[in-house]
Amino acid sequence: MNTLANDTFLRALRREPTEYTPIWLMRQAGRYLPEYNATRRRAGNFLALCKTPELACEVTLQPLERYPLDAAILFSDILTIPDAMGLGLYFAEGEGPKFERPVRDEAAVKQLAVPDPSGELRYVTDAVRTIRGALAGRVPLIGFSGSPWTLACYMVEGGASDDFREIKTMLYRRPDLLTRILDVNADAVAAYLDAQIEAGAQALMIFDSWGGVLADGAYQRFSLEPMRRVIASLKRRVDEPLIVFTKGGGAWLEEMAGIGCDAIGVDWTVNLGRARARVGDRVALQGNLDPMALMAGPEQVRAEAIRVLDDFGAPADGAGHVFNLGHGISQFTPPDNVAVLAETVHAHGRRLRKGGASASSL
């Protein structure tokens, strides 16, 4: 495999010294880029784009051609695992992902099985290999999965939800059924991420998109514990750094830092300086600009990026920061603002390391 020309992102995750703050963006290959939309039209639909390794590679690389980003992330979807379980994934126009066969009773739960990463999910590992080759050591490649809980939300609800009524009813009425789903999902996520590492991914991220909808206590049992199981399984076999991101998980940062991950992604509701004080030197932090800040003018984008960097403060031994958004980039983002963001993060990150000016004096 290629030697990395830029390993700043990986060093930050390992809380090693870096010359500047590295940046990548959740959903950085997406609908805000006209070239992505052109490739998606060629593919015919979103699932075809995900399941064609050459096209997945093409869109993965597109943001790197525009911006000085420090990592690429596999272009795929978090619902690949339940799709491979035979639940009938499809995308309804204007409604997002749907499943033809939601998992809501004992019979459906009993039928669940861990999909073979080299079988039903081979298109994902083929994409990882293709992207890793095309990157040629330029920057690291991030592999990812949805968390066991987040996958379960879609599997039980049958799609996106405003109130999570179906899965929360199961949680309170039949926690045994939900536990069985989460056990299968945890084994599936571990096998899936392990296969991505085997194919060439150099870091991993678990997207716990819906962990924040859980009550305290339920979060620890039904979201955090399955992720801990996944990480424990992976860490027995791989050394690559692993990021966990629970949207809405600011109340549980200390507990998240204790499950074996190398970094925690935080959303825009969390002050990075206070988060850094809470987790200490146990993990690196990733985040956390409000994606809507990118809708403003260039000067406001610069100011907000500097504010986030200053919130974290100057990196020190044992502390790592990867700049990112607090959630995925919006399809309505002006592409030129991303260029402003990346340049500002790199430049001000260098100033911070030299004891330079803060946002208030710039």
Side-chain angles (χ1 to χ4, degrees), residues 1-5 61 130-139 202:
M1 289 291 187
N2 312 97
T3 301
L4 280 170
L61 299 183
T130 303
I131 297 163
R132 180 70 189 275
L135 282 169
R138 182 174 172 181
V139 293
Q202 292 149 295

Side-chain angles (χ1 to χ4, degrees), residues 7 56 112-113 124 186 240 269 310 315 321 355-356 359:
D7 68 348
L112 290 177
V124 177
E240 285 76 7
T269 66
D310 286 347
H321 180 211

Side-chain angles (χ1 to χ4, degrees), residues 135-215:
L135 282 169
R138 182 174 172 181
V139 293
L141 174 61
I142 306 166
F144 73 92
S145 173
S147 72
W149 162 257
T150 291
L151 298 183
C153 286
Y154 286 101
M155 293 161 67
V156 176
E157 295 291 334
S161 175
D162 293 329
D163 60 7
F164 299 89
R165 177 169 50 88
E166 296 288 349
I167 193 164
K168 285 195 170 186
T169 299
M170 181 183 288
L171 184 157
Y172 291 112
R173 284 186 179 174
R174 293 294 306 271
D176 58 315
L177 290 186
L178 180 55
T179 298
R180 163 67 180 158
I181 295 172
L182 293 171
D183 286 347
V184 174
N185 285 357
D187 290 343
V189 169
Y192 183 55
L193 290 176
D194 190 42
Q196 290 183 39
I197 289 291
E198 194 69 26
Q202 292 149 295
L204 297 171
M205 184 157 172
I206 298 176
F207 285 90
D208 187 32
S209 305
W210 301 122
V213 307
L214 286 164

Side-chain angles (χ1 to χ4, degrees), residues 300-318:
Q300 288 87 2
V301 171
R302 286 191 188 94
E304 286 300 307
I306 289 169
R307 181 190 59 76
V308 170
L309 288 163
D310 286 347
D311 282 348
F312 183 86
D317 289 345

Side-chain angles (χ1 to χ4, degrees), residues 268-316:
W268 64 86
T269 66
V270 175
N271 177 279
L272 278 184
R274 288 194 285 272
R276 180 178 176 181
R278 288 168 60 188
V279 302
D281 60 359
R282 288 183 290 168
V283 292
L285 291 175
Q286 179 176 279
N288 68 339
L289 184 71
D290 181 349
M292 291 300 107
L294 290 172
M295 301 298 177
E299 288 309 311
Q300 288 87 2
V301 171
R302 286 191 188 94
E304 286 300 307
I306 289 169
R307 181 190 59 76
V308 170
L309 288 163
D310 286 347
D311 282 348
F312 183 86

